[in-house]
mmCIF file with all atom_site columns, all heavy atoms in Angstrom:
data_model
loop_
_atom_site.group_PDB
_atom_site.id
_atom_site.type_symbol
_atom_site.label_atom_id
_atom_site.label_alt_id
_atom_site.label_comp_id
_atom_site.label_asym_id
_atom_site.label_entity_id
_atom_site.label_seq_id
_atom_site.pdbx_PDB_ins_code
_atom_site.Cartn_x
_atom_site.Cartn_y
_atom_site.Cartn_z
_atom_site.occupancy
_atom_site.B_iso_or_equiv
_atom_site.pdbx_formal_charge
_atom_site.auth_seq_id
_atom_site.auth_comp_id
_atom_site.auth_asym_id
_atom_site.auth_atom_id
_atom_site.pdbx_PDB_model_num
ATOM 1   N N   . MET A 1 114 ? -13.391 -15.134 -11.731 1.00 0.00 ? 114 MET A N   1
ATOM 2   C CA  . MET A 1 114 ? -12.200 -15.695 -12.391 1.00 0.00 ? 114 MET A CA  1
ATOM 3   C C   . MET A 1 114 ? -12.279 -17.169 -12.582 1.00 0.00 ? 114 MET A C   1
ATOM 4   O O   . MET A 1 114 ? -12.199 -17.730 -13.717 1.00 0.00 ? 114 MET A O   1
ATOM 5   C CB  . MET A 1 114 ? -10.934 -15.383 -11.551 1.00 0.00 ? 114 MET A CB  1
ATOM 6   C CG  . MET A 1 114 ? -10.499 -14.056 -11.551 1.00 0.00 ? 114 MET A CG  1
ATOM 7   S SD  . MET A 1 114 ? -9.448  -13.702 -9.968  1.00 0.00 ? 114 MET A SD  1
ATOM 8   C CE  . MET A 1 114 ? -8.076  -14.763 -10.332 1.00 0.00 ? 114 MET A CE  1
ATOM 9   N N   . PHE A 1 115 ? -12.846 -17.908 -11.589 1.00 0.00 ? 115 PHE A N   1
ATOM 10  C CA  . PHE A 1 115 ? -12.859 -19.357 -11.687 1.00 0.00 ? 115 PHE A CA  1
ATOM 11  C C   . PHE A 1 115 ? -14.218 -19.776 -12.015 1.00 0.00 ? 115 PHE A C   1
ATOM 12  O O   . PHE A 1 115 ? -14.404 -20.886 -12.615 1.00 0.00 ? 115 PHE A O   1
ATOM 13  C CB  . PHE A 1 115 ? -12.458 -19.961 -10.256 1.00 0.00 ? 115 PHE A CB  1
ATOM 14  C CG  . PHE A 1 115 ? -10.915 -19.947 -10.139 1.00 0.00 ? 115 PHE A CG  1
ATOM 15  C CD1 . PHE A 1 115 ? -10.301 -18.891 -9.516  1.00 0.00 ? 115 PHE A CD1 1
ATOM 16  C CD2 . PHE A 1 115 ? -10.226 -20.998 -10.666 1.00 0.00 ? 115 PHE A CD2 1
ATOM 17  C CE1 . PHE A 1 115 ? -9.008  -18.824 -9.300  1.00 0.00 ? 115 PHE A CE1 1
ATOM 18  C CE2 . PHE A 1 115 ? -8.775  -20.938 -10.479 1.00 0.00 ? 115 PHE A CE2 1
ATOM 19  C CZ  . PHE A 1 115 ? -8.216  -19.887 -9.868  1.00 0.00 ? 115 PHE A CZ  1
ATOM 20  N N   . GLY A 1 116 ? -15.260 -19.045 -11.657 1.00 0.00 ? 116 GLY A N   1
ATOM 21  C CA  . GLY A 1 116 ? -16.672 -19.552 -11.743 1.00 0.00 ? 116 GLY A CA  1
ATOM 22  C C   . GLY A 1 116 ? -17.212 -19.427 -13.229 1.00 0.00 ? 116 GLY A C   1
ATOM 23  O O   . GLY A 1 116 ? -17.893 -20.285 -13.720 1.00 0.00 ? 116 GLY A O   1
ATOM 24  N N   . GLU A 1 117 ? -16.873 -18.278 -13.711 1.00 0.00 ? 117 GLU A N   1
ATOM 25  C CA  . GLU A 1 117 ? -17.666 -17.965 -15.088 1.00 0.00 ? 117 GLU A CA  1
ATOM 26  C C   . GLU A 1 117 ? -16.605 -17.858 -16.242 1.00 0.00 ? 117 GLU A C   1
ATOM 27  O O   . GLU A 1 117 ? -16.799 -18.438 -17.334 1.00 0.00 ? 117 GLU A O   1
ATOM 28  C CB  . GLU A 1 117 ? -18.342 -16.663 -15.010 1.00 0.00 ? 117 GLU A CB  1
ATOM 29  C CG  . GLU A 1 117 ? -18.774 -16.084 -13.670 1.00 0.00 ? 117 GLU A CG  1
ATOM 30  C CD  . GLU A 1 117 ? -20.210 -16.421 -13.254 1.00 0.00 ? 117 GLU A CD  1
ATOM 31  O OE1 . GLU A 1 117 ? -21.112 -15.859 -13.790 1.00 0.00 ? 117 GLU A OE1 1
ATOM 32  O OE2 . GLU A 1 117 ? -20.420 -17.212 -12.352 1.00 0.00 ? 117 GLU A OE2 1
ATOM 33  N N   . MET A 1 118 ? -15.513 -17.197 -15.893 1.00 0.00 ? 118 MET A N   1
ATOM 34  C CA  . MET A 1 118 ? -14.602 -16.773 -17.110 1.00 0.00 ? 118 MET A CA  1
ATOM 35  C C   . MET A 1 118 ? -13.754 -17.972 -17.467 1.00 0.00 ? 118 MET A C   1
ATOM 36  O O   . MET A 1 118 ? -13.462 -18.077 -18.633 1.00 0.00 ? 118 MET A O   1
ATOM 37  C CB  . MET A 1 118 ? -13.834 -15.729 -16.685 1.00 0.00 ? 118 MET A CB  1
ATOM 38  C CG  . MET A 1 118 ? -14.658 -14.395 -16.526 1.00 0.00 ? 118 MET A CG  1
ATOM 39  S SD  . MET A 1 118 ? -15.536 -13.924 -18.130 1.00 0.00 ? 118 MET A SD  1
ATOM 40  C CE  . MET A 1 118 ? -17.183 -14.206 -17.743 1.00 0.00 ? 118 MET A CE  1
ATOM 41  N N   . LEU A 1 119 ? -13.167 -18.553 -16.478 1.00 0.00 ? 119 LEU A N   1
ATOM 42  C CA  . LEU A 1 119 ? -12.287 -19.734 -16.793 1.00 0.00 ? 119 LEU A CA  1
ATOM 43  C C   . LEU A 1 119 ? -12.893 -20.769 -17.714 1.00 0.00 ? 119 LEU A C   1
ATOM 44  O O   . LEU A 1 119 ? -12.171 -21.651 -18.190 1.00 0.00 ? 119 LEU A O   1
ATOM 45  C CB  . LEU A 1 119 ? -11.555 -20.303 -15.747 1.00 0.00 ? 119 LEU A CB  1
ATOM 46  C CG  . LEU A 1 119 ? -9.987  -20.662 -15.747 1.00 0.00 ? 119 LEU A CG  1
ATOM 47  C CD1 . LEU A 1 119 ? -9.310  -19.449 -16.362 1.00 0.00 ? 119 LEU A CD1 1
ATOM 48  C CD2 . LEU A 1 119 ? -9.376  -20.883 -14.365 1.00 0.00 ? 119 LEU A CD2 1
ATOM 49  N N   . GLN A 1 120 ? -14.118 -20.819 -17.827 1.00 0.00 ? 120 GLN A N   1
ATOM 50  C CA  . GLN A 1 120 ? -14.776 -21.799 -18.484 1.00 0.00 ? 120 GLN A CA  1
ATOM 51  C C   . GLN A 1 120 ? -14.921 -21.397 -20.070 1.00 0.00 ? 120 GLN A C   1
ATOM 52  O O   . GLN A 1 120 ? -15.516 -22.055 -20.765 1.00 0.00 ? 120 GLN A O   1
ATOM 53  C CB  . GLN A 1 120 ? -16.098 -22.298 -17.865 1.00 0.00 ? 120 GLN A CB  1
ATOM 54  C CG  . GLN A 1 120 ? -15.929 -23.208 -16.619 1.00 0.00 ? 120 GLN A CG  1
ATOM 55  C CD  . GLN A 1 120 ? -17.090 -23.178 -15.785 1.00 0.00 ? 120 GLN A CD  1
ATOM 56  O OE1 . GLN A 1 120 ? -18.215 -23.200 -16.142 1.00 0.00 ? 120 GLN A OE1 1
ATOM 57  N NE2 . GLN A 1 120 ? -16.772 -23.299 -14.445 1.00 0.00 ? 120 GLN A NE2 1
ATOM 58  N N   . GLN A 1 121 ? -14.595 -20.181 -20.130 1.00 0.00 ? 121 GLN A N   1
ATOM 59  C CA  . GLN A 1 121 ? -14.627 -19.474 -21.520 1.00 0.00 ? 121 GLN A CA  1
ATOM 60  C C   . GLN A 1 121 ? -13.418 -20.106 -22.335 1.00 0.00 ? 121 GLN A C   1
ATOM 61  O O   . GLN A 1 121 ? -12.390 -20.492 -21.839 1.00 0.00 ? 121 GLN A O   1
ATOM 62  C CB  . GLN A 1 121 ? -14.580 -18.027 -21.343 1.00 0.00 ? 121 GLN A CB  1
ATOM 63  C CG  . GLN A 1 121 ? -15.638 -17.370 -22.066 1.00 0.00 ? 121 GLN A CG  1
ATOM 64  C CD  . GLN A 1 121 ? -16.935 -17.575 -21.476 1.00 0.00 ? 121 GLN A CD  1
ATOM 65  O OE1 . GLN A 1 121 ? -17.072 -17.699 -20.367 1.00 0.00 ? 121 GLN A OE1 1
ATOM 66  N NE2 . GLN A 1 121 ? -18.004 -17.521 -22.335 1.00 0.00 ? 121 GLN A NE2 1
ATOM 67  N N   . GLU A 1 122 ? -13.603 -19.922 -23.599 1.00 0.00 ? 122 GLU A N   1
ATOM 68  C CA  . GLU A 1 122 ? -12.580 -20.327 -24.504 1.00 0.00 ? 122 GLU A CA  1
ATOM 69  C C   . GLU A 1 122 ? -11.661 -19.121 -24.929 1.00 0.00 ? 122 GLU A C   1
ATOM 70  O O   . GLU A 1 122 ? -11.601 -18.745 -26.158 1.00 0.00 ? 122 GLU A O   1
ATOM 71  C CB  . GLU A 1 122 ? -13.080 -21.056 -25.740 1.00 0.00 ? 122 GLU A CB  1
ATOM 72  C CG  . GLU A 1 122 ? -13.616 -22.400 -25.534 1.00 0.00 ? 122 GLU A CG  1
ATOM 73  C CD  . GLU A 1 122 ? -12.596 -23.383 -25.203 1.00 0.00 ? 122 GLU A CD  1
ATOM 74  O OE1 . GLU A 1 122 ? -11.385 -23.231 -25.602 1.00 0.00 ? 122 GLU A OE1 1
ATOM 75  O OE2 . GLU A 1 122 ? -12.890 -24.437 -24.610 1.00 0.00 ? 122 GLU A OE2 1
ATOM 76  N N   . ASP A 1 123 ? -10.981 -18.513 -23.895 1.00 0.00 ? 123 ASP A N   1
ATOM 77  C CA  . ASP A 1 123 ? -10.189 -17.398 -24.265 1.00 0.00 ? 123 ASP A CA  1
ATOM 78  C C   . ASP A 1 123 ? -8.658  -17.638 -23.974 1.00 0.00 ? 123 ASP A C   1
ATOM 79  O O   . ASP A 1 123 ? -8.299  -17.876 -22.799 1.00 0.00 ? 123 ASP A O   1
ATOM 80  C CB  . ASP A 1 123 ? -10.626 -16.261 -23.493 1.00 0.00 ? 123 ASP A CB  1
ATOM 81  C CG  . ASP A 1 123 ? -9.992  -14.973 -23.709 1.00 0.00 ? 123 ASP A CG  1
ATOM 82  O OD1 . ASP A 1 123 ? -8.839  -14.701 -23.370 1.00 0.00 ? 123 ASP A OD1 1
ATOM 83  O OD2 . ASP A 1 123 ? -10.639 -14.009 -24.583 1.00 0.00 ? 123 ASP A OD2 1
ATOM 84  N N   . ASP A 1 124 ? -7.942  -17.542 -25.046 1.00 0.00 ? 124 ASP A N   1
ATOM 85  C CA  . ASP A 1 124 ? -6.467  -17.973 -24.944 1.00 0.00 ? 124 ASP A CA  1
ATOM 86  C C   . ASP A 1 124 ? -5.711  -17.069 -24.031 1.00 0.00 ? 124 ASP A C   1
ATOM 87  O O   . ASP A 1 124 ? -4.915  -17.512 -23.245 1.00 0.00 ? 124 ASP A O   1
ATOM 88  C CB  . ASP A 1 124 ? -5.940  -18.179 -26.301 1.00 0.00 ? 124 ASP A CB  1
ATOM 89  C CG  . ASP A 1 124 ? -6.423  -19.335 -26.993 1.00 0.00 ? 124 ASP A CG  1
ATOM 90  O OD1 . ASP A 1 124 ? -6.919  -20.291 -26.309 1.00 0.00 ? 124 ASP A OD1 1
ATOM 91  O OD2 . ASP A 1 124 ? -6.409  -19.406 -28.316 1.00 0.00 ? 124 ASP A OD2 1
ATOM 92  N N   . VAL A 1 125 ? -5.951  -15.768 -24.200 1.00 0.00 ? 125 VAL A N   1
ATOM 93  C CA  . VAL A 1 125 ? -5.204  -14.922 -23.322 1.00 0.00 ? 125 VAL A CA  1
ATOM 94  C C   . VAL A 1 125 ? -5.433  -15.088 -21.978 1.00 0.00 ? 125 VAL A C   1
ATOM 95  O O   . VAL A 1 125 ? -4.621  -15.170 -21.086 1.00 0.00 ? 125 VAL A O   1
ATOM 96  C CB  . VAL A 1 125 ? -5.509  -13.344 -23.846 1.00 0.00 ? 125 VAL A CB  1
ATOM 97  C CG1 . VAL A 1 125 ? -4.902  -12.361 -22.880 1.00 0.00 ? 125 VAL A CG1 1
ATOM 98  C CG2 . VAL A 1 125 ? -5.177  -13.083 -25.209 1.00 0.00 ? 125 VAL A CG2 1
ATOM 99  N N   . LEU A 1 126 ? -6.728  -15.177 -21.518 1.00 0.00 ? 126 LEU A N   1
ATOM 100 C CA  . LEU A 1 126 ? -7.139  -15.471 -20.203 1.00 0.00 ? 126 LEU A CA  1
ATOM 101 C C   . LEU A 1 126 ? -6.521  -16.764 -19.593 1.00 0.00 ? 126 LEU A C   1
ATOM 102 O O   . LEU A 1 126 ? -5.897  -16.767 -18.531 1.00 0.00 ? 126 LEU A O   1
ATOM 103 C CB  . LEU A 1 126 ? -8.675  -15.645 -20.041 1.00 0.00 ? 126 LEU A CB  1
ATOM 104 C CG  . LEU A 1 126 ? -9.204  -15.961 -18.651 1.00 0.00 ? 126 LEU A CG  1
ATOM 105 C CD1 . LEU A 1 126 ? -8.789  -14.787 -17.741 1.00 0.00 ? 126 LEU A CD1 1
ATOM 106 C CD2 . LEU A 1 126 ? -10.663 -16.034 -18.621 1.00 0.00 ? 126 LEU A CD2 1
ATOM 107 N N   . HIS A 1 127 ? -6.416  -17.745 -20.432 1.00 0.00 ? 127 HIS A N   1
ATOM 108 C CA  . HIS A 1 127 ? -5.856  -19.127 -19.998 1.00 0.00 ? 127 HIS A CA  1
ATOM 109 C C   . HIS A 1 127 ? -4.378  -18.877 -19.851 1.00 0.00 ? 127 HIS A C   1
ATOM 110 O O   . HIS A 1 127 ? -3.660  -19.523 -18.983 1.00 0.00 ? 127 HIS A O   1
ATOM 111 C CB  . HIS A 1 127 ? -6.181  -20.306 -20.879 1.00 0.00 ? 127 HIS A CB  1
ATOM 112 C CG  . HIS A 1 127 ? -7.493  -20.774 -20.553 1.00 0.00 ? 127 HIS A CG  1
ATOM 113 N ND1 . HIS A 1 127 ? -8.781  -20.275 -21.236 1.00 0.00 ? 127 HIS A ND1 1
ATOM 114 C CD2 . HIS A 1 127 ? -7.999  -21.744 -19.678 1.00 0.00 ? 127 HIS A CD2 1
ATOM 115 C CE1 . HIS A 1 127 ? -9.791  -20.989 -20.786 1.00 0.00 ? 127 HIS A CE1 1
ATOM 116 N NE2 . HIS A 1 127 ? -9.315  -21.776 -19.787 1.00 0.00 ? 127 HIS A NE2 1
ATOM 117 N N   . GLU A 1 128 ? -3.757  -18.001 -20.667 1.00 0.00 ? 128 GLU A N   1
ATOM 118 C CA  . GLU A 1 128 ? -2.299  -17.777 -20.500 1.00 0.00 ? 128 GLU A CA  1
ATOM 119 C C   . GLU A 1 128 ? -1.948  -17.064 -19.252 1.00 0.00 ? 128 GLU A C   1
ATOM 120 O O   . GLU A 1 128 ? -0.989  -17.492 -18.535 1.00 0.00 ? 128 GLU A O   1
ATOM 121 C CB  . GLU A 1 128 ? -1.825  -16.920 -21.738 1.00 0.00 ? 128 GLU A CB  1
ATOM 122 C CG  . GLU A 1 128 ? -0.535  -17.219 -22.130 1.00 0.00 ? 128 GLU A CG  1
ATOM 123 C CD  . GLU A 1 128 ? -0.307  -16.444 -23.483 1.00 0.00 ? 128 GLU A CD  1
ATOM 124 O OE1 . GLU A 1 128 ? -0.858  -16.783 -24.567 1.00 0.00 ? 128 GLU A OE1 1
ATOM 125 O OE2 . GLU A 1 128 ? 0.677   -15.550 -23.397 1.00 0.00 ? 128 GLU A OE2 1
ATOM 126 N N   . VAL A 1 129 ? -2.714  -16.035 -18.830 1.00 0.00 ? 129 VAL A N   1
ATOM 127 C CA  . VAL A 1 129 ? -2.424  -15.419 -17.521 1.00 0.00 ? 129 VAL A CA  1
ATOM 128 C C   . VAL A 1 129 ? -2.717  -16.348 -16.390 1.00 0.00 ? 129 VAL A C   1
ATOM 129 O O   . VAL A 1 129 ? -2.090  -16.255 -15.352 1.00 0.00 ? 129 VAL A O   1
ATOM 130 C CB  . VAL A 1 129 ? -3.092  -13.984 -17.437 1.00 0.00 ? 129 VAL A CB  1
ATOM 131 C CG1 . VAL A 1 129 ? -2.633  -12.962 -18.467 1.00 0.00 ? 129 VAL A CG1 1
ATOM 132 C CG2 . VAL A 1 129 ? -4.514  -14.207 -17.549 1.00 0.00 ? 129 VAL A CG2 1
ATOM 133 N N   . ALA A 1 130 ? -3.749  -17.074 -16.406 1.00 0.00 ? 130 ALA A N   1
ATOM 134 C CA  . ALA A 1 130 ? -3.971  -18.033 -15.376 1.00 0.00 ? 130 ALA A CA  1
ATOM 135 C C   . ALA A 1 130 ? -2.953  -19.110 -15.271 1.00 0.00 ? 130 ALA A C   1
ATOM 136 O O   . ALA A 1 130 ? -2.560  -19.404 -14.189 1.00 0.00 ? 130 ALA A O   1
ATOM 137 C CB  . ALA A 1 130 ? -5.319  -18.851 -15.774 1.00 0.00 ? 130 ALA A CB  1
ATOM 138 N N   . ARG A 1 131 ? -2.417  -19.481 -16.360 1.00 0.00 ? 131 ARG A N   1
ATOM 139 C CA  . ARG A 1 131 ? -1.207  -20.448 -16.448 1.00 0.00 ? 131 ARG A CA  1
ATOM 140 C C   . ARG A 1 131 ? -0.059  -19.793 -15.792 1.00 0.00 ? 131 ARG A C   1
ATOM 141 O O   . ARG A 1 131 ? 0.669   -20.400 -15.058 1.00 0.00 ? 131 ARG A O   1
ATOM 142 C CB  . ARG A 1 131 ? -0.874  -20.981 -17.749 1.00 0.00 ? 131 ARG A CB  1
ATOM 143 C CG  . ARG A 1 131 ? 0.201   -21.969 -17.854 1.00 0.00 ? 131 ARG A CG  1
ATOM 144 C CD  . ARG A 1 131 ? -0.030  -22.913 -19.013 1.00 0.00 ? 131 ARG A CD  1
ATOM 145 N NE  . ARG A 1 131 ? -1.298  -23.519 -18.991 1.00 0.00 ? 131 ARG A NE  1
ATOM 146 C CZ  . ARG A 1 131 ? -1.595  -24.834 -18.432 1.00 0.00 ? 131 ARG A CZ  1
ATOM 147 N NH1 . ARG A 1 131 ? -0.744  -25.501 -17.829 1.00 0.00 ? 131 ARG A NH1 1
ATOM 148 N NH2 . ARG A 1 131 ? -2.821  -25.270 -18.593 1.00 0.00 ? 131 ARG A NH2 1
ATOM 149 N N   . ALA A 1 132 ? 0.204   -18.503 -15.974 1.00 0.00 ? 132 ALA A N   1
ATOM 150 C CA  . ALA A 1 132 ? 1.373   -17.758 -15.386 1.00 0.00 ? 132 ALA A CA  1
ATOM 151 C C   . ALA A 1 132 ? 1.188   -17.833 -13.832 1.00 0.00 ? 132 ALA A C   1
ATOM 152 O O   . ALA A 1 132 ? 2.253   -18.006 -13.261 1.00 0.00 ? 132 ALA A O   1
ATOM 153 C CB  . ALA A 1 132 ? 1.364   -16.233 -15.938 1.00 0.00 ? 132 ALA A CB  1
ATOM 154 N N   . SER A 1 133 ? 0.038   -17.696 -13.337 1.00 0.00 ? 133 SER A N   1
ATOM 155 C CA  . SER A 1 133 ? -0.167  -17.787 -11.960 1.00 0.00 ? 133 SER A CA  1
ATOM 156 C C   . SER A 1 133 ? 0.170   -19.144 -11.458 1.00 0.00 ? 133 SER A C   1
ATOM 157 O O   . SER A 1 133 ? 0.987   -19.280 -10.529 1.00 0.00 ? 133 SER A O   1
ATOM 158 C CB  . SER A 1 133 ? -1.656  -17.433 -11.524 1.00 0.00 ? 133 SER A CB  1
ATOM 159 O OG  . SER A 1 133 ? -1.977  -16.152 -11.791 1.00 0.00 ? 133 SER A OG  1
#
Side-chain angles (χ1 to χ4, degrees):
Chain A
M114 288 157 64
F115 284 92
E117 338 258 294
M118 290 301 112
L119 218 48
Q120 288 161 32
Q121 231 66 33
E122 289 292 337
D123 187 282
D124 288 337
V125 176
L126 180 59
H127 279 88
E128 213 170 291
V129 294
R131 181 151 310 262
S133 291

